[in-house]
Amino acid sequence: MEKIRNFCIIAHIDHGKSTLADRMLEITNTVDVKQMENQVLDDMDLEKERGITIKSHAIQMQWHEHTLNLIDTPGHVDFSYEVSRSIAACEGAVLVVDATQGVQAQTISNLYLAIEHDLEIIPVINKCDMENAMPERVEDEIIDLIGCKREEIMRCSARTGEGVEAILDAIIDRIPAPVGDPNAPLQALVFDSVFNSFRGIIAYFRIINGTIHSGDLVRFVNTGKEYDADEIGVLKLNMQPTKELGAGNVGYIISGIKTSTEVKVGDTITQVARPCEKAIAGFEEAKPMVFAGVYPIEAEDYEDLRASLEKLQLNDSSLSFSPESSVALGFGFRCGFLGLLHMEIVQERLDREFDMDVITTVPNVSYNVYLKDGSLVEVHNPAGMPDLTEIDRIEEPFIRASIITTSNFIGSIMTLCLGKRGELVKQEYISGDRMELLFDMPLGEIVIDFYDKLKSISKGYASFDWHPNGFRPSNLVKLDILLNGEQVDALSTLTHRDNALDFGRRMCEKLKELLPRQQFDIAIQAAIGAKVIARETVKQVRKDVLAKCYGGDVSRKRKLLEKQKRGKKRMKQIGNVEVPQKAFLAVLKLD
C-alpha cells in the first residue's frame, strides 16, 4: 500500500484537465503512441465534440515503481455530483487553474468539496506557454484561496508536456498513501458502474479495507444481493484481470449482474464469508434540480424508452425517472436532472446510444405546496398542482449563485439577475478588477435560459456556480395554454404572478407562428384558472366558394357562404389540433 497513490484532477470547465491527463498517460507509457489521441479518457463522441468531460473515468498508471490511480472529473457545474463521487475515492487532488483566466467559480466549489473530504491539494497553473498567460497574478489568487506557500504552486503546459513529470513526482511525494487493513473483512466503495451488453453490469470500486479474490462470493450491502466475483481487475486503458486486489486499490468487478437496479453507486461490497460490520458512510445521493417529461414519439416505443433510461442510469446515477402520462403526449417518464446541460446531454445520449426519438416538455423545478389542512405536497409537474381553493401557500426552491466576472460587466449582470427576481447578498473584489457577486435567486428563473444570457452579456468572461439554499414562500400561479378550449397539459407552466401576463402573451404569439393552419379557426388562449389573460387566433384556410358565382342575386352568394359556415362548424367539433415538437422547444427559447 505504500506504493499506491489515489488522486483526482479538479478544475473549472475548459482549464485543461483532460489534456493534462493525456500527457500523464503518455509520459508514464500507459497508452501506446498508436492509441494516443486528444482527450483519450473522454470516450464518448459527445465529450470529444463539445470538448467537455461528462463522466468521471478511472485509469491506473505506473511511475517510479509507484501505482497511481487517476480518477478524471468533469468541470461543468451540472456534473458536480460526479466530482463528489471521485473525491470520495481519493486521498489527494490536483487543482488545475488556467494561467490565462485565473480562478473561476467552479474551481472554488470543487476545491471546497475536496477540502471537506480532507484531501491533500496540489495547486497547478496550466497553459503557462500561452502568450497571454499571467502566472504571477494567478499564483496570488491561489494563495488567497487556499493559503499555500508560493513554492508549493507548480507550473506546467499540458499541451507541450512541460512540467508534467514534476507534477507526477509531487503526487508521489505530497499525497499520502491510502490507509486500511488488508487483513480486515472486505469493505469496498462502489463509485461508478457501466453496462456491457455481453457481460452485464461492471461495477468500479475502491477498496477501503480487506482483500478481494477472483471467485469470492460477495454481497452488496445496501441491496443485500449476493454474487460470485467472476472477474476482478484493474483499470488500465482496457480492463486487465487479476487474481486479487488489496486495500487501497481501485478496480472493477464483473459478476454477471443483469438488472440495473441491483447496483447502486455509493454501495459497499463485502464478502459473504466474513462480512464487514457496517457500510461505508459519507456518500450523498444526487438531488435532481430540474424536472421535465420525456415522451417517446411513437407510443409503442414506451418499453424501449424505459430500458434505455435504465441503462443510462447505470452510467449516470444522478438521472432519476418515474412513469407519468399526459393527455397530449400519451405515456412517458418524468425525469429529474441536475441542470439544463445535463438534460441536453441525456437527450443527446438517448438519441445516439439507444436510437430513441423523444419529445421533452418544458423543464421546471419542484415546489412545496402547503394545503389548507396543513399537509405538504411536493409538485414536480404543473399538471399535478392541487386546486387553487385548497392551497394555503406555495414555496419555491432558492439557490445561492456565485458569479465571478471582470468589473466592466457588473452593471449588465446585475440587471439580468435582478430581472430574474434575484437579491444581491454581497460583492467583493478577488484580485485586480475581478469580482465575485453572490445572489439569492429562485431556481425556476434559472432553468430556462439564464446561463446562455449570462455568457452572451459578459462575452463569455463570467463564470457561474450555484448550490441549493432552501425554500421560500412565493406568489406563483399555474399558467395553462388552451387550444380551442382544450388544455394542452404539456405546455402548462408555474410562473410568478408578475411575469404571468407577459409570459402568457408571448407564448400565444409564438404558438400562432408555429401551429399549422387548419380548415377551421384555432383559438390559442393563456389562462390562469378560469381567467383568460391572452388570446391569439390562427385563421382558417378558406376555399373561395363564390368563384362559380359570376353574378345574379346576393342571396345565392349568401346561401353558399352559410353552407360553408355550417361545414366549418361541424368540422371544428371533431377537428383536433396537432402540436408540433417545434412548439414545445420554442417555449424554451422564449426571449
Side-chain angles (χ1 to χ4, degrees):
M1 283 174 67
E2 287 300 311
K3 300 281 185 189
I4 299 175
R5 299 288 183 274
N6 298 319
F7 72 101
C8 58
I9 303 179
I10 53 177
H12 188 77
I13 187 168
D14 226 7
H15 279 203
K17 290 179 312 304
S18 298
T19 315
L20 180 60
D22 288 352
R23 287 301 82 72
M24 287 180 170
L25 297 177
E26 212 171 72
I27 289 170
T28 55
N29 296 324
T30 307
V31 179
D32 203 318
V33 180
K34 291 176 190 164
Q35 292 174 303
M36 195 63 209
E37 53 180 319
N38 285 343
Q39 289 177 265
V40 71
L41 288 183
D42 296 345
D43 49 14
M44 267 187 253
D45 294 343
L46 211 54
E47 293 180 311
K48 286 187 165 47
E49 277 168 30
R50 291 175 176 238
I52 58 175
T53 305
I54 296 167
K55 287 287 304 151
S56 48
H57 290 269
I59 193 161
Q60 194 178 83
M61 305 178 275
Q62 301 296 329
W63 183 248
H64 298 333
E65 298 173 3
H66 283 73
T67 299
L68 308 182
N69 288 312
L70 157 66
I71 301 177
D72 183 28
T73 63
H76 193 278
V77 53
D78 277 11
F79 301 114
S80 49
Y81 171 67
E82 289 277 337
V83 181
S84 79
R85 298 190 344 209
S86 306
I87 285 174
C90 296
E91 277 83 33
V94 175
L95 177 74
V96 178
V97 183
D98 187 330
T100 61
Q101 294 181 22
V103 171
Q104 303 279 324
Q106 199 58 31
T107 317
I108 297 175
S109 78
N110 286 347
L111 174 71
Y112 287 158
L113 266 177
I115 290 173
E116 270 173 39
H117 283 79
D118 285 341
L119 298 200
E120 181 64 40
I121 310 285
I122 300 178
V124 170
I125 299 178
N126 186 21
K127 306 191 187 178
C128 287
D129 59 325
M130 303 279 275
E131 285 178 15
N132 56 343
M134 319 167 284
E136 284 79 16
R137 187 167 142 191
V138 176
E139 272 182 3
D140 295 338
E141 289 180 16
I142 293 175
I143 291 167
D144 285 348
L145 187 64
I146 56 177
C148 61
K149 298 191 181 77
R150 194 173 288 275
E151 57 270 18
E152 287 176 7
I153 302 173
M154 312 194 69
R155 295 186 184 184
C156 79
S157 162
R159 191 166 56 90
T160 61
E162 175 196 339
V164 178
E165 290 193 14
I167 296 173
L168 289 167
D169 293 335
I171 288 166
I172 292 172
D173 296 341
R174 295 197 211 169
I175 293 177
V179 290
D181 180 0
N183 301 317
L186 176 68
Q187 223 182 4
L189 172 75
V190 178
F191 66 85
D192 203 357
S193 59
V194 291
F195 180 77
N196 181 308
S197 46
F198 301 106
R199 313 211 55 182
I201 291 154
I202 303 169
Y204 297 160
F205 60 81
R206 150 80 202 270
I207 302 178
I208 310 294
N209 289 312
T211 307
I212 186 169
H213 303 84
S214 174
D216 279 357
L217 184 62
V218 295
R219 178 187 293 135
F220 283 71
V221 177
N222 286 349
T223 57
K225 301 275 196 232
E226 297 178 2
Y227 307 100
D228 287 312
D230 299 337
E231 180 180 312
I232 59 168
V234 293
L235 298 150
K236 295 285 178 97
L237 194 57
N238 300 315
M239 296 187 291
Q240 287 193 353
T242 54
K243 289 286 179 223
E244 68 169 21
L245 280 173
N249 269 302
V250 174
Y252 69 89
I253 176 169
I254 300 176
S255 46
I257 306 171
K258 293 284 183 286
T259 320
S260 52
T261 49
E262 290 177 16
V263 176
K264 286 196 166 45
V265 169
D267 204 345
T268 305
I269 303 177
T270 188
Q271 280 156 336
V272 174
R274 277 179 74 202
C276 59
E277 287 177 14
K278 60 181 192 298
I280 301 160
F283 203 89
E284 64 211 55
E285 282 282 314
K287 192 160 173 45
M289 283 293 159
V290 175
F291 295 86
V294 174
Y295 293 86
I297 286 180
E298 299 295 334
E300 59 264 25
D301 292 342
Y302 175 74
E303 282 304 324
D304 292 347
L305 179 59
R306 180 197 291 276
S308 306
L309 283 168
E310 281 176 357
K311 285 176 187 165
L312 201 55
Q313 197 177 32
L314 271 179
N315 195 243
D316 178 0
S317 56
S318 48
L319 169 70
S320 61
F321 62 93
S322 57
E324 72 164 3
S325 63
S326 142
V327 181
L329 300 171
F331 289 101
F333 295 93
R334 191 91 198 148
C335 296
F337 307 98
L338 298 177
L340 275 192
L341 178 71
H342 185 211
M343 173 173 142
E344 205 178 306
I345 296 291
V346 166
Q347 220 174 321
E348 190 91 357
R349 286 182 71 185
L350 279 172
D351 182 28
R352 291 189 184 196
E353 294 172 28
F354 304 101
D355 207 17
M356 293 298 309
D357 280 339
V358 293
I359 291 178
T360 311
T361 63
V362 185
N364 59 353
V365 298
S366 67
Y367 297 92
N368 287 345
V369 179
Y370 289 89
L371 304 180
K372 287 181 176 164
D373 61 6
S375 59
L376 163 67
V377 182
E378 209 173 273
V379 176
H380 300 312
N381 184 353
M385 197 75 172
D387 197 71
L388 270 175
T389 53
E390 297 171 13
I391 295 173
D392 178 38
R393 69 181 191 280
I394 304 175
E395 291 188 349
E396 65 175 334
F398 267 67
I399 61 165
R400 174 64 56 88
S402 151
I403 298 170
I404 295 180
T405 182
T406 50
S407 48
N408 43 341
F409 299 118
I410 294 233
S412 48
I413 288 175
M414 282 206 175
T415 310
L416 172 70
C417 294
L418 297 172
K420 296 279 188 186
R421 297 191 285 131
E423 298 164 10
L424 183 64
V425 179
K426 72 168 185 182
Q427 60 185 78
E428 60 182 0
Y429 279 94
I430 300 178
S431 69
D433 66 339
R434 294 177 66 228
M435 287 191 79
E436 181 178 30
L437 301 171
L438 286 181
F439 282 93
D440 278 349
M441 300 174 76
L443 181 61
E445 294 281 347
I446 286 192
V447 295
I448 306 251
D449 57 356
F450 177 78
Y451 197 58
D452 297 345
K453 283 186 176 170
L454 178 70
K455 282 292 179 199
S456 60
I457 62 175
S458 67
K459 301 187 172 63
Y461 280 109
S463 66
F464 172 66
D465 182 52
W466 57 270
H467 57 264
N469 195 22
F471 282 76
R472 296 190 194 176
S474 189
N475 187 6
L476 298 168
V477 290
K478 180 184 170 197
L479 184 71
D480 292 319
I481 298 294
L482 311 174
L483 296 180
N484 280 347
E486 292 287 323
Q487 186 182 326
V488 184
D489 53 359
L491 290 175
S492 296
T493 47
L494 280 169
T495 181
H496 196 266
R497 191 178 289 277
D498 297 349
N499 304 341
L501 185 67
D502 183 43
F503 188 64
R505 192 174 290 139
R506 294 206 320 257
M507 287 263 278
C508 290
E509 285 166 6
K510 195 77 184 171
L511 284 169
K512 184 182 177 182
E513 291 169 26
L514 293 168
L515 289 181
R517 287 171 72 188
Q518 305 283 352
Q519 296 270 340
F520 49 87
D521 282 355
I522 305 173
I524 304 167
Q525 295 167 308
I528 298 171
K531 184 182 175 191
V532 174
I533 56 169
R535 170 178 172 139
E536 293 286 339
T537 307
V538 178
K539 282 302 197 189
Q540 56 187 296
V541 181
R542 300 182 78 118
K543 179 185 171 191
D544 187 3
V545 289
L546 303 181
K548 59 189 180 192
C549 281
Y550 46 86
D553 190 43
V554 71
S555 60
R556 288 181 60 200
K557 294 181 181 176
R558 193 166 293 137
K559 184 179 166 189
L560 288 168
L561 286 171
E562 288 294 328
K563 187 180 172 188
Q564 184 187 32
K565 197 170 166 186
R566 284 198 303 277
K568 296 270 187 197
K569 192 174 177 185
R570 189 169 65 247
M571 193 183 288
K572 187 173 175 180
Q573 284 168 356
I574 56 167
N576 59 357
V577 185
E578 288 282 319
V579 183
Q581 163 74 347
K582 277 192 303 197
F584 295 109
L585 296 177
V587 179
L588 309 186
K589 306 264 187 298
L590 272 185
D591 199 12

